[in-house]
Amino acid sequence: MSENETLISAARQARENAHAPYSNFRVGAALRATSGKIFGGCNVENATYGLTVCAERIAIFKAISEGERGFDAISVVTDTDALTPPCGACRQLIWEFCGDIPVIMANLKGRVEIMQMQNLFPRPFDSSHL
Ligand code: THU
């Protein structure tokens, strides 16, 4: 299995744990640290709706809180024909912690598309502006 396939598979597995009773839109993410470790995340919804956290941010916060710094790639998996890109808030967080990494979008049917963060998130606000 290639590195990308391994990451997609981890995101698929994380998606199994999605808590999405309100939207029924189940998302899995997986983040590969430069250490080689992979951190999975799923969306975790809340009855208030607004407190919902996306799969990507869960994966990032898990990795950061475990002491990881530096990341190679992130994968996002959903069960939709149109592949799912990270939302705006997640793009900001991915940029903050991962910079210009590839975002590997995939669905359960095996469709895959890869986009670099600099194309998904042009002209970001970041620490260079402070
Ligand atoms: N969601 C994610 O987890 N990641 C994305 O990239 C897009 C949206 C979640 C949030 C919410 O639980 C559901 O998908 C519908 O927006």
Side-chain angles (χ1 to χ4, degrees):
M1 216 189 263
S2 73
E3 281 196 334
N4 285 359
E5 284 167 347
T6 302
L7 204 60
I8 291 168
S9 164
R12 270 176 95 117
Q13 206 175 315
R15 183 179 166 277
E16 296 291 316
N17 295 325
H19 176 71
Y22 307 107
S23 72
N24 283 315
F25 190 71
R26 301 163 71 80
V27 187
L31 180 65
R32 190 172 59 243
T34 47
S35 67
K37 247 180 116 175
I38 290 176
F39 295 83
C42 60
N43 54 332
V44 181
E45 298 187 345
N46 184 268
T48 63
Y49 295 9
L51 290 179
T52 291
V53 183
C54 293
E56 297 91 323
R57 269 177 284 164
I58 300 267
I60 290 171
F61 290 148
K62 279 172 67 179
I64 294 296
S65 64
E66 293 295 318
E68 293 287 347
R69 296 293 185 275
F71 301 96
D72 288 334
I74 189 165
S75 176
V76 184
V77 170
T78 51
D79 185 19
T80 52
D81 287 334
L83 301 178
T84 303
C87 79
C90 287
R91 291 179 203 200
Q92 182 72 39
L93 267 283
I94 294 168
W95 186 262
E96 174 85 18
F97 291 111
C98 313
D100 186 29
I101 59 167
V103 177
I104 304 161
M105 296 164 272
N107 68 13
L108 299 187
K109 290 180 186 159
R111 186 171 169 214
V112 178
E113 192 181 337
I114 304 175
M115 280 187 76
Q116 282 295 129
M117 270 302 289
Q118 64 171 338
N119 298 322
L120 270 176
F121 198 49
R123 202 171 175 186
F125 174 79
D126 60 23
S127 61
S128 71
H129 296 96
L130 297 174

